[in-house]
Amino acid sequence: MSEFDDWVGRSQSVTDVLEPARSNALSVALGGEGGLKAGDSMPLLHHWLYFWDVKPPSGLGPDGHPAKGGFLPPVPLPRRMWAGGRLSFLKPLRLGAEVTRTSTITAVSEKTGRTGTLVFVTVRHELDAGEGVAVSEEQDLVYREPASAMLPAPVAAPAPAAPWVEQVDPNPVLLFRYSALTMNGHRIHYDRPYAMGEEAYPALVVHGPLQATLLIQLAARKLSAPITGFDFRGQQPAFDGVPLHVCGEPTAEGANLWTQQGEAKNMTATVRTKIA
Protein backbone atom coordinates (compact mmCIF):
# COMPACT_ATOMS: atom_id res chain seq x y z
CA MET A 1 0.00 0.00 0.00
CA SER A 2 1.39 3.39 -1.04
CA GLU A 3 1.61 6.17 1.54
CA PHE A 4 -0.37 8.29 -0.92
CA ASP A 5 -3.25 5.87 -1.55
CA ASP A 6 -5.52 8.10 0.52
CA TRP A 7 -5.18 10.79 -2.14
CA VAL A 8 -6.68 8.59 -4.87
CA GLY A 9 -10.28 9.63 -5.42
CA ARG A 10 -9.85 13.14 -4.04
CA SER A 11 -11.77 15.66 -6.08
CA GLN A 12 -12.21 19.40 -6.33
CA SER A 13 -14.16 21.78 -8.58
CA VAL A 14 -13.28 25.31 -9.63
CA THR A 15 -15.16 27.73 -11.90
CA ASP A 16 -13.75 30.35 -14.24
CA VAL A 17 -14.90 32.56 -17.11
CA LEU A 18 -13.13 31.97 -20.43
CA GLU A 19 -12.31 35.64 -20.87
CA PRO A 20 -11.33 36.26 -24.52
CA ALA A 21 -8.35 38.54 -23.82
CA ARG A 22 -6.31 35.70 -22.36
CA SER A 23 -6.83 33.47 -25.38
CA ASN A 24 -6.10 36.38 -27.73
CA ALA A 25 -2.88 37.11 -25.87
CA LEU A 26 -1.61 33.57 -26.43
CA SER A 27 -2.69 33.63 -30.07
CA VAL A 28 -0.72 36.81 -30.70
CA ALA A 29 2.29 35.60 -28.67
CA LEU A 30 2.47 32.56 -30.99
CA GLY A 31 2.31 34.71 -34.12
CA GLY A 32 -1.45 34.68 -34.71
CA GLU A 33 -3.78 37.59 -35.23
CA GLY A 34 -5.98 37.37 -32.15
CA GLY A 35 -9.38 38.95 -32.73
CA LEU A 36 -11.32 36.29 -30.86
CA LYS A 37 -14.47 37.48 -29.12
CA ALA A 38 -17.08 36.15 -26.72
CA GLY A 39 -19.12 33.42 -28.36
CA ASP A 40 -16.27 32.19 -30.58
CA SER A 41 -15.00 28.64 -30.14
CA MET A 42 -11.95 28.63 -27.90
CA PRO A 43 -8.81 27.28 -29.63
CA LEU A 44 -7.94 23.77 -28.49
CA LEU A 45 -5.80 23.55 -25.33
CA HIS A 46 -6.38 27.22 -24.49
CA HIS A 47 -8.30 25.99 -21.44
CA TRP A 48 -4.87 25.67 -19.81
CA LEU A 49 -4.83 29.50 -19.61
CA TYR A 50 -7.67 29.47 -17.09
CA PHE A 51 -8.43 28.04 -13.62
CA TRP A 52 -5.35 29.68 -12.08
CA ASP A 53 -4.20 28.36 -8.72
CA VAL A 54 -2.74 31.57 -7.29
CA LYS A 55 -1.04 31.20 -3.92
CA PRO A 56 0.39 33.92 -1.64
CA PRO A 57 4.19 34.03 -1.31
CA SER A 58 3.98 31.90 1.84
CA GLY A 59 2.17 29.21 -0.15
CA LEU A 60 4.93 28.67 -2.71
CA GLY A 61 7.74 26.13 -2.74
CA PRO A 62 11.37 27.02 -3.57
CA ASP A 63 10.82 26.03 -7.22
CA GLY A 64 7.98 28.55 -7.66
CA HIS A 65 5.23 25.92 -7.74
CA PRO A 66 2.51 25.95 -5.08
CA ALA A 67 3.86 24.25 -1.96
CA LYS A 68 3.23 20.51 -1.81
CA GLY A 69 0.18 19.17 -0.08
CA GLY A 70 -3.41 20.29 -0.43
CA PHE A 71 -5.14 18.70 -3.40
CA LEU A 72 -2.02 16.99 -4.79
CA PRO A 73 -0.17 14.53 -2.54
CA PRO A 74 2.94 15.87 -0.75
CA VAL A 75 5.43 13.78 -2.72
CA PRO A 76 8.87 14.48 -1.14
CA LEU A 77 10.82 14.32 -4.42
CA PRO A 78 11.96 17.83 -5.42
CA ARG A 79 11.46 17.99 -9.19
CA ARG A 80 7.99 18.02 -10.73
CA MET A 81 7.19 17.86 -14.44
CA TRP A 82 4.08 17.48 -16.57
CA ALA A 83 4.91 14.23 -18.40
CA GLY A 84 1.97 13.94 -20.77
CA GLY A 85 -1.75 13.60 -21.12
CA ARG A 86 -4.79 12.38 -23.02
CA LEU A 87 -7.71 14.58 -24.07
CA SER A 88 -11.09 14.07 -25.69
CA PHE A 89 -12.89 17.09 -27.15
CA LEU A 90 -16.58 16.31 -26.87
CA LYS A 91 -18.17 19.75 -27.35
CA PRO A 92 -16.76 23.18 -28.21
CA LEU A 93 -16.03 25.57 -25.39
CA ARG A 94 -17.12 29.15 -26.11
CA LEU A 95 -15.11 32.17 -25.09
CA GLY A 96 -16.98 34.19 -22.50
CA ALA A 97 -18.66 31.12 -21.02
CA GLU A 98 -18.53 30.20 -17.35
CA VAL A 99 -16.94 26.78 -17.09
CA THR A 100 -16.52 24.41 -14.15
CA ARG A 101 -13.51 22.13 -14.04
CA THR A 102 -13.82 19.07 -11.81
CA SER A 103 -10.48 17.41 -11.01
CA THR A 104 -10.02 13.95 -9.52
CA ILE A 105 -6.82 12.11 -8.60
CA THR A 106 -7.16 8.71 -10.25
CA ALA A 107 -3.78 7.07 -9.57
CA VAL A 108 -0.53 7.47 -7.65
CA SER A 109 2.32 5.05 -8.36
CA GLU A 110 6.03 4.77 -7.59
CA LYS A 111 8.56 3.38 -10.04
CA THR A 112 12.31 3.08 -10.30
CA GLY A 113 13.96 4.23 -13.52
CA ARG A 114 17.48 4.90 -14.76
CA THR A 115 17.35 8.32 -13.06
CA GLY A 116 16.18 6.92 -9.71
CA THR A 117 12.82 6.95 -7.96
CA LEU A 118 9.83 8.37 -9.82
CA VAL A 119 6.32 9.02 -8.51
CA PHE A 120 3.53 9.39 -11.07
CA VAL A 121 0.27 11.15 -10.25
CA THR A 122 -2.63 10.99 -12.72
CA VAL A 123 -5.34 13.63 -12.52
CA ARG A 124 -8.59 13.56 -14.50
CA HIS A 125 -10.17 16.90 -15.40
CA GLU A 126 -13.67 17.36 -16.78
CA LEU A 127 -14.74 20.76 -18.11
CA ASP A 128 -18.44 21.60 -18.26
CA ALA A 129 -20.04 24.85 -19.44
CA GLY A 130 -23.49 23.74 -18.28
CA GLU A 131 -24.32 21.42 -21.17
CA GLY A 132 -22.40 18.32 -20.11
CA VAL A 133 -18.68 17.54 -20.27
CA ALA A 134 -17.01 19.41 -23.14
CA VAL A 135 -13.39 18.37 -22.52
CA SER A 136 -12.22 15.24 -20.71
CA GLU A 137 -8.53 15.19 -19.87
CA GLU A 138 -6.05 13.02 -18.02
CA GLN A 139 -2.77 14.62 -16.93
CA ASP A 140 0.32 12.65 -15.91
CA LEU A 141 2.55 14.43 -13.40
CA VAL A 142 5.94 12.98 -12.49
CA TYR A 143 8.04 13.74 -9.42
CA ARG A 144 11.77 13.01 -9.63
CA GLU A 145 14.91 12.94 -7.53
CA PRO A 146 17.49 15.76 -7.72
CA ALA A 147 19.58 15.75 -10.89
CA SER A 148 22.95 14.03 -10.53
CA ALA A 149 24.53 15.78 -13.54
CA MET A 150 23.65 18.56 -15.94
CA LEU A 151 21.94 17.49 -19.14
CA PRO A 152 23.79 18.24 -22.38
CA ALA A 153 22.77 21.37 -24.22
CA PRO A 154 20.89 20.83 -27.49
CA VAL A 155 22.71 21.43 -30.76
CA ALA A 156 21.04 23.20 -33.65
CA ALA A 157 20.41 21.07 -36.74
CA PRO A 158 18.56 21.40 -40.05
CA ALA A 159 14.82 20.88 -40.05
CA PRO A 160 13.87 17.19 -40.09
CA ALA A 161 12.30 15.65 -43.16
CA ALA A 162 8.56 15.54 -42.48
CA PRO A 163 5.41 16.44 -44.42
CA TRP A 164 4.69 19.30 -42.01
CA VAL A 165 7.52 21.31 -40.42
CA GLU A 166 7.45 24.70 -38.77
CA GLN A 167 10.25 26.38 -36.83
CA VAL A 168 9.71 28.22 -33.55
CA ASP A 169 12.22 30.28 -31.58
CA PRO A 170 11.61 29.32 -27.93
CA ASN A 171 13.24 32.49 -26.61
CA PRO A 172 13.01 33.77 -23.02
CA VAL A 173 10.29 36.29 -23.93
CA LEU A 174 7.98 33.56 -25.29
CA LEU A 175 8.66 31.34 -22.27
CA PHE A 176 7.99 34.22 -19.86
CA ARG A 177 4.76 35.16 -21.61
CA TYR A 178 3.47 31.57 -21.55
CA SER A 179 4.38 31.27 -17.87
CA ALA A 180 2.48 34.49 -17.14
CA LEU A 181 -0.60 33.52 -19.15
CA THR A 182 -0.85 30.15 -17.40
CA MET A 183 0.22 31.51 -13.97
CA ASN A 184 3.00 28.92 -13.97
CA GLY A 185 5.60 30.03 -11.45
CA HIS A 186 8.00 27.14 -12.06
CA ARG A 187 11.37 28.87 -12.18
CA ILE A 188 12.95 26.52 -14.74
CA HIS A 189 11.05 28.41 -17.46
CA TYR A 190 12.25 31.97 -16.74
CA ASP A 191 14.98 31.97 -14.07
CA ARG A 192 18.17 30.83 -15.79
CA PRO A 193 20.43 30.74 -12.69
CA TYR A 194 17.87 28.59 -10.88
CA ALA A 195 17.29 26.28 -13.86
CA MET A 196 21.02 25.68 -14.27
CA GLY A 197 22.21 25.85 -10.68
CA GLU A 198 19.40 24.09 -8.83
CA GLU A 199 17.83 21.70 -11.36
CA ALA A 200 20.91 21.09 -13.56
CA TYR A 201 19.37 22.08 -16.88
CA PRO A 202 21.69 23.59 -19.51
CA ALA A 203 19.25 26.42 -20.30
CA LEU A 204 15.66 27.52 -19.74
CA VAL A 205 13.15 24.69 -20.22
CA VAL A 206 10.38 24.98 -22.82
CA HIS A 207 7.02 24.19 -21.21
CA GLY A 208 5.50 20.84 -22.12
CA PRO A 209 2.02 22.38 -22.47
CA LEU A 210 3.44 25.06 -24.78
CA GLN A 211 4.90 22.37 -27.03
CA ALA A 212 1.58 20.50 -26.96
CA THR A 213 -0.24 23.70 -27.95
CA LEU A 214 2.13 24.27 -30.88
CA LEU A 215 1.55 20.68 -32.03
CA ILE A 216 -2.24 20.76 -31.91
CA GLN A 217 -2.21 24.20 -33.54
CA LEU A 218 -0.20 22.75 -36.44
CA ALA A 219 -2.64 19.85 -36.80
CA ALA A 220 -5.67 22.14 -36.67
CA ARG A 221 -4.27 24.18 -39.57
CA LYS A 222 -3.38 21.14 -41.68
CA LEU A 223 -6.37 18.85 -41.15
CA SER A 224 -9.81 19.47 -42.61
CA ALA A 225 -11.76 17.36 -40.10
CA PRO A 226 -12.41 18.54 -36.52
CA ILE A 227 -10.00 17.20 -33.92
CA THR A 228 -11.73 14.97 -31.37
CA GLY A 229 -8.74 13.63 -29.40
CA PHE A 230 -5.15 14.45 -28.55
CA ASP A 231 -2.55 12.36 -26.69
CA PHE A 232 0.94 13.64 -25.92
CA ARG A 233 4.04 12.57 -24.04
CA GLY A 234 7.30 14.28 -23.23
CA GLN A 235 10.41 12.40 -24.35
CA GLN A 236 13.13 14.80 -23.19
CA PRO A 237 13.27 18.49 -22.33
CA ALA A 238 13.52 21.22 -24.95
CA PHE A 239 15.49 24.38 -24.19
CA ASP A 240 15.75 27.98 -25.25
CA GLY A 241 18.60 29.10 -27.50
CA VAL A 242 18.08 26.47 -30.21
CA PRO A 243 15.27 26.39 -32.83
CA LEU A 244 12.40 24.07 -32.02
CA HIS A 245 10.91 22.25 -34.98
CA VAL A 246 7.18 21.48 -34.82
CA CYS A 247 6.53 18.49 -37.09
CA GLY A 248 3.73 16.23 -38.23
CA GLU A 249 2.42 13.75 -40.74
CA PRO A 250 -1.17 12.83 -41.59
CA THR A 251 -2.54 9.37 -40.78
CA ALA A 252 -5.81 7.59 -41.45
CA GLU A 253 -7.04 8.51 -37.95
CA GLY A 254 -5.64 12.06 -37.83
CA ALA A 255 -1.93 12.79 -37.49
CA ASN A 256 1.32 11.91 -35.76
CA LEU A 257 3.13 14.92 -34.34
CA TRP A 258 6.39 15.74 -32.62
CA THR A 259 8.69 18.56 -31.56
CA GLN A 260 12.40 18.23 -32.25
CA GLN A 261 15.64 20.02 -31.37
CA GLY A 262 18.69 18.73 -33.18
CA GLU A 263 18.37 14.99 -33.66
CA ALA A 264 16.18 14.36 -30.63
CA LYS A 265 12.40 14.29 -30.38
CA ASN A 266 11.25 16.28 -27.38
CA MET A 267 7.52 15.54 -27.39
CA THR A 268 5.44 13.06 -29.39
CA ALA A 269 1.70 13.26 -29.91
CA THR A 270 -1.22 11.93 -31.90
CA VAL A 271 -4.45 13.63 -32.90
CA ARG A 272 -7.70 11.90 -33.76
CA THR A 273 -10.28 13.36 -36.10
CA LYS A 274 -12.88 10.67 -35.51
CA ILE A 275 -13.98 8.78 -32.44
CA ALA A 276 -12.58 5.25 -32.42
Side-chain angles (χ1 to χ4, degrees), residues 45-70:
L45 302 188
H46 279 216
H47 67 279
W48 291 337
L49 304 177
Y50 302 91
F51 310 104
W52 287 355
D53 182 18
V54 183
K55 301 295 186 186
S58 61
L60 298 176
D63 60 358
H65 272 308
K68 295 173 181 176

mmCIF file of all heavy atoms in Angstrom, residues 45-70:
data_model
loop_
_atom_site.group_PDB
_atom_site.id
_atom_site.type_symbol
_atom_site.label_atom_id
_atom_site.label_comp_id
_atom_site.label_asym_id
_atom_site.label_seq_id
_atom_site.Cartn_x
_atom_site.Cartn_y
_atom_site.Cartn_z
ATOM 1 N N LEU A 45 -6.816 23.498 -26.395
ATOM 2 C CA LEU A 45 -5.803 23.553 -25.329
ATOM 3 C C LEU A 45 -5.676 24.927 -24.696
ATOM 4 O O LEU A 45 -4.899 25.091 -23.741
ATOM 5 C CB LEU A 45 -4.430 23.059 -25.802
ATOM 6 C CG LEU A 45 -4.381 21.632 -26.355
ATOM 7 C CD1 LEU A 45 -2.933 21.214 -26.606
ATOM 8 C CD2 LEU A 45 -5.058 20.636 -25.427
ATOM 9 N N HIS A 46 -6.427 25.913 -25.156
ATOM 10 C CA HIS A 46 -6.384 27.217 -24.487
ATOM 11 C C HIS A 46 -7.046 27.167 -23.115
ATOM 12 O O HIS A 46 -6.912 28.131 -22.346
ATOM 13 C CB HIS A 46 -7.036 28.288 -25.361
ATOM 14 C CG HIS A 46 -6.141 28.821 -26.430
ATOM 15 N ND1 HIS A 46 -6.156 30.139 -26.840
ATOM 16 C CD2 HIS A 46 -5.171 28.211 -27.170
ATOM 17 C CE1 HIS A 46 -5.257 30.319 -27.802
ATOM 18 N NE2 HIS A 46 -4.649 29.155 -28.019
ATOM 19 N N HIS A 47 -7.742 26.069 -22.796
ATOM 20 C CA HIS A 47 -8.302 25.990 -21.440
ATOM 21 C C HIS A 47 -7.210 25.958 -20.375
ATOM 22 O O HIS A 47 -7.470 26.241 -19.206
ATOM 23 C CB HIS A 47 -9.219 24.760 -21.309
ATOM 24 C CG HIS A 47 -8.528 23.448 -21.399
ATOM 25 N ND1 HIS A 47 -8.168 22.856 -22.594
ATOM 26 C CD2 HIS A 47 -8.116 22.578 -20.431
ATOM 27 C CE1 HIS A 47 -7.581 21.699 -22.360
ATOM 28 N NE2 HIS A 47 -7.539 21.496 -21.059
ATOM 29 N N TRP A 48 -5.969 25.646 -20.773
ATOM 30 C CA TRP A 48 -4.872 25.674 -19.807
ATOM 31 C C TRP A 48 -4.523 27.092 -19.356
ATOM 32 O O TRP A 48 -3.740 27.269 -18.419
ATOM 33 C CB TRP A 48 -3.636 25.001 -20.413
ATOM 34 C CG TRP A 48 -3.788 23.521 -20.599
ATOM 35 C CD1 TRP A 48 -4.644 22.686 -19.936
ATOM 36 C CD2 TRP A 48 -3.057 22.686 -21.495
ATOM 37 N NE1 TRP A 48 -4.488 21.390 -20.359
ATOM 38 C CE2 TRP A 48 -3.521 21.350 -21.324
ATOM 39 C CE3 TRP A 48 -2.044 22.919 -22.428
ATOM 40 C CZ2 TRP A 48 -3.006 20.276 -22.045
ATOM 41 C CZ3 TRP A 48 -1.535 21.849 -23.155
ATOM 42 C CH2 TRP A 48 -2.011 20.545 -22.967
ATOM 43 N N LEU A 49 -5.070 28.102 -20.013
ATOM 44 C CA LEU A 49 -4.832 29.496 -19.612
ATOM 45 C C LEU A 49 -5.719 29.920 -18.444
ATOM 46 O O LEU A 49 -5.518 31.008 -17.898
ATOM 47 C CB LEU A 49 -5.106 30.437 -20.795
ATOM 48 C CG LEU A 49 -4.351 30.181 -22.097
ATOM 49 C CD1 LEU A 49 -4.808 31.171 -23.156
ATOM 50 C CD2 LEU A 49 -2.849 30.286 -21.883
ATOM 51 N N TYR A 50 -6.670 29.090 -18.080
ATOM 52 C CA TYR A 50 -7.667 29.473 -17.088
ATOM 53 C C TYR A 50 -7.533 28.596 -15.831
ATOM 54 O O TYR A 50 -6.626 27.787 -15.728
ATOM 55 C CB TYR A 50 -9.066 29.379 -17.716
ATOM 56 C CG TYR A 50 -9.185 30.254 -18.949
ATOM 57 C CD1 TYR A 50 -8.882 29.738 -20.219
ATOM 58 C CD2 TYR A 50 -9.543 31.592 -18.859
ATOM 59 C CE1 TYR A 50 -8.965 30.547 -21.356
ATOM 60 C CE2 TYR A 50 -9.621 32.407 -19.984
ATOM 61 C CZ TYR A 50 -9.326 31.880 -21.227
ATOM 62 O OH TYR A 50 -9.384 32.675 -22.341
ATOM 63 N N PHE A 51 -8.411 28.812 -14.877
ATOM 64 C CA PHE A 51 -8.428 28.036 -13.622
ATOM 65 C C PHE A 51 -7.101 28.189 -12.875
ATOM 66 O O PHE A 51 -6.527 27.221 -12.378
ATOM 67 C CB PHE A 51 -8.728 26.553 -13.901
ATOM 68 C CG PHE A 51 -9.929 26.338 -14.770
ATOM 69 C CD1 PHE A 51 -9.792 25.993 -16.113
ATOM 70 C CD2 PHE A 51 -11.211 26.502 -14.263
ATOM 71 C CE1 PHE A 51 -10.893 25.805 -16.927
ATOM 72 C CE2 PHE A 51 -12.325 26.318 -15.071
ATOM 73 C CZ PHE A 51 -12.161 25.967 -16.402
ATOM 74 N N TRP A 52 -6.614 29.419 -12.794
ATOM 75 C CA TRP A 52 -5.354 29.682 -12.084
ATOM 76 C C TRP A 52 -5.434 29.236 -10.628
ATOM 77 O O TRP A 52 -6.447 29.405 -9.961
ATOM 78 C CB TRP A 52 -5.059 31.172 -12.105
ATOM 79 C CG TRP A 52 -4.614 31.713 -13.422
ATOM 80 C CD1 TRP A 52 -4.355 31.034 -14.568
ATOM 81 C CD2 TRP A 52 -4.392 33.104 -13.718
ATOM 82 N NE1 TRP A 52 -3.964 31.893 -15.558
ATOM 83 C CE2 TRP A 52 -3.981 33.163 -15.064
ATOM 84 C CE3 TRP A 52 -4.487 34.273 -12.983
ATOM 85 C CZ2 TRP A 52 -3.669 34.380 -15.679
ATOM 86 C CZ3 TRP A 52 -4.185 35.475 -13.594
ATOM 87 C CH2 TRP A 52 -3.776 35.524 -14.926
ATOM 88 N N ASP A 53 -4.334 28.712 -10.143
ATOM 89 C CA ASP A 53 -4.199 28.356 -8.719
ATOM 90 C C ASP A 53 -3.175 29.318 -8.110
ATOM 91 O O ASP A 53 -2.000 29.010 -7.993
ATOM 92 C CB ASP A 53 -3.724 26.898 -8.590
ATOM 93 C CG ASP A 53 -3.612 26.455 -7.146
ATOM 94 O OD1 ASP A 53 -4.205 27.110 -6.264
ATOM 95 O OD2 ASP A 53 -2.920 25.444 -6.896
ATOM 96 N N VAL A 54 -3.639 30.508 -7.767
ATOM 97 C CA VAL A 54 -2.743 31.568 -7.292
ATOM 98 C C VAL A 54 -2.586 31.452 -5.780
ATOM 99 O O VAL A 54 -3.572 31.497 -5.040
ATOM 100 C CB VAL A 54 -3.281 32.959 -7.667
ATOM 101 C CG1 VAL A 54 -2.302 34.034 -7.223
ATOM 102 C CG2 VAL A 54 -3.525 33.050 -9.168
ATOM 103 N N LYS A 55 -1.341 31.310 -5.340
ATOM 104 C CA LYS A 55 -1.042 31.201 -3.922
ATOM 105 C C LYS A 55 -0.301 32.463 -3.454
ATOM 106 O O LYS A 55 0.430 33.088 -4.229
ATOM 107 C CB LYS A 55 -0.161 29.982 -3.648
ATOM 108 C CG LYS A 55 -0.758 28.654 -4.080
ATOM 109 C CD LYS A 55 -2.004 28.303 -3.283
ATOM 110 C CE LYS A 55 -2.494 26.900 -3.627
ATOM 111 N NZ LYS A 55 -3.781 26.598 -2.958
ATOM 112 N N PRO A 56 -0.425 32.824 -2.173
ATOM 113 C CA PRO A 56 0.394 33.915 -1.640
ATOM 114 C C PRO A 56 1.850 33.480 -1.571
ATOM 115 O O PRO A 56 2.162 32.282 -1.687
ATOM 116 C CB PRO A 56 -0.196 34.144 -0.251
ATOM 117 C CG PRO A 56 -0.773 32.815 0.127
ATOM 118 C CD PRO A 56 -1.295 32.224 -1.154
ATOM 119 N N PRO A 57 2.774 34.415 -1.384
ATOM 120 C CA PRO A 57 4.186 34.030 -1.311
ATOM 121 C C PRO A 57 4.468 32.915 -0.303
ATOM 122 O O PRO A 57 5.296 32.037 -0.554
ATOM 123 C CB PRO A 57 4.885 35.338 -0.919
ATOM 124 C CG PRO A 57 3.999 36.407 -1.491
ATOM 125 C CD PRO A 57 2.600 35.883 -1.341
ATOM 126 N N SER A 58 3.759 32.925 0.825
ATOM 127 C CA SER A 58 3.982 31.896 1.840
ATOM 128 C C SER A 58 3.502 30.525 1.389
ATOM 129 O O SER A 58 3.846 29.510 2.002
ATOM 130 C CB SER A 58 3.271 32.284 3.144
ATOM 131 O OG SER A 58 1.861 32.397 2.923
ATOM 132 N N GLY A 59 2.701 30.473 0.322
ATOM 133 C CA GLY A 59 2.172 29.206 -0.152
ATOM 134 C C GLY A 59 2.925 28.617 -1.318
ATOM 135 O O GLY A 59 2.437 27.682 -1.963
ATOM 136 N N LEU A 60 4.132 29.153 -1.597
ATOM 137 C CA LEU A 60 4.935 28.667 -2.706
ATOM 138 C C LEU A 60 6.124 27.858 -2.218
ATOM 139 O O LEU A 60 6.689 28.136 -1.153
ATOM 140 C CB LEU A 60 5.446 29.845 -3.552
ATOM 141 C CG LEU A 60 4.384 30.715 -4.225
ATOM 142 C CD1 LEU A 60 5.054 31.882 -4.939
ATOM 143 C CD2 LEU A 60 3.538 29.906 -5.189
ATOM 144 N N GLY A 61 6.520 26.862 -3.022
ATOM 145 C CA GLY A 61 7.740 26.129 -2.742
ATOM 146 C C GLY A 61 8.942 26.848 -3.336
ATOM 147 O O GLY A 61 8.807 27.825 -4.070
ATOM 148 N N PRO A 62 10.156 26.367 -3.051
ATOM 149 C CA PRO A 62 11.365 27.023 -3.570
ATOM 150 C C PRO A 62 11.478 27.010 -5.084
ATOM 151 O O PRO A 62 12.224 27.810 -5.659
ATOM 152 C CB PRO A 62 12.504 26.237 -2.914
ATOM 153 C CG PRO A 62 11.904 24.924 -2.511
ATOM 154 C CD PRO A 62 10.480 25.215 -2.191
ATOM 155 N N ASP A 63 10.751 26.098 -5.755
ATOM 156 C CA ASP A 63 10.821 26.034 -7.216
ATOM 157 C C ASP A 63 9.819 26.962 -7.895
ATOM 158 O O ASP A 63 9.791 27.062 -9.116
ATOM 159 C CB ASP A 63 10.609 24.602 -7.705
ATOM 160 C CG ASP A 63 9.256 24.017 -7.312
ATOM 161 O OD1 ASP A 63 8.467 24.706 -6.612
ATOM 162 O OD2 ASP A 63 8.971 22.867 -7.699
ATOM 163 N N GLY A 64 8.981 27.658 -7.106
ATOM 164 C CA GLY A 64 7.981 28.550 -7.661
ATOM 165 C C GLY A 64 6.619 27.930 -7.826
ATOM 166 O O GLY A 64 5.628 28.635 -8.048
ATOM 167 N N HIS A 65 6.525 26.603 -7.725
ATOM 168 C CA HIS A 65 5.228 25.920 -7.744
ATOM 169 C C HIS A 65 4.513 26.168 -6.410
ATOM 170 O O HIS A 65 5.158 26.453 -5.394
ATOM 171 C CB HIS A 65 5.422 24.407 -7.881
ATOM 172 C CG HIS A 65 5.516 23.917 -9.289
ATOM 173 N ND1 HIS A 65 4.588 24.222 -10.248
ATOM 174 C CD2 HIS A 65 6.425 23.104 -9.891
ATOM 175 C CE1 HIS A 65 4.922 23.643 -11.391
ATOM 176 N NE2 HIS A 65 6.032 22.966 -11.205
ATOM 177 N N PRO A 66 3.175 25.996 -6.379
ATOM 178 C CA PRO A 66 2.507 25.953 -5.079
ATOM 179 C C PRO A 66 3.139 24.887 -4.186
ATOM 180 O O PRO A 66 3.552 23.824 -4.665
ATOM 181 C CB PRO A 66 1.061 25.594 -5.440
ATOM 182 C CG PRO A 66 0.879 26.125 -6.828
ATOM 183 C CD PRO A 66 2.216 25.913 -7.502
ATOM 184 N N ALA A 67 3.262 25.197 -2.899
ATOM 185 C CA ALA A 67 3.863 24.249 -1.961
ATOM 186 C C ALA A 67 3.108 22.931 -1.991
ATOM 187 O O ALA A 67 1.905 22.873 -2.259
ATOM 188 C CB ALA A 67 3.856 24.835 -0.554
ATOM 189 N N LYS A 68 3.831 21.847 -1.725
ATOM 190 C CA LYS A 68 3.233 20.511 -1.808
ATOM 191 C C LYS A 68 2.220 20.297 -0.697
ATOM 192 O O LYS A 68 2.317 20.872 0.373
ATOM 193 C CB LYS A 68 4.337 19.460 -1.753
ATOM 194 C CG LYS A 68 5.265 19.523 -2.962
ATOM 195 C CD LYS A 68 6.444 18.593 -2.826
ATOM 196 C CE LYS A 68 7.365 18.704 -4.038
ATOM 197 N NZ LYS A 68 8.571 17.864 -3.885
ATOM 198 N N GLY A 69 1.283 19.409 -0.992
ATOM 199 C CA GLY A 69 0.182 19.166 -0.081
ATOM 200 C C GLY A 69 -1.089 19.755 -0.670
ATOM 201 O O GLY A 69 -1.129 20.175 -1.826
ATOM 202 N N GLY A 70 -2.161 19.799 0.108
ATOM 203 C CA GLY A 70 -3.412 20.294 -0.431
ATOM 204 C C GLY A 70 -4.060 19.252 -1.311
ATOM 205 O O GLY A 70 -4.159 18.078 -0.930
#
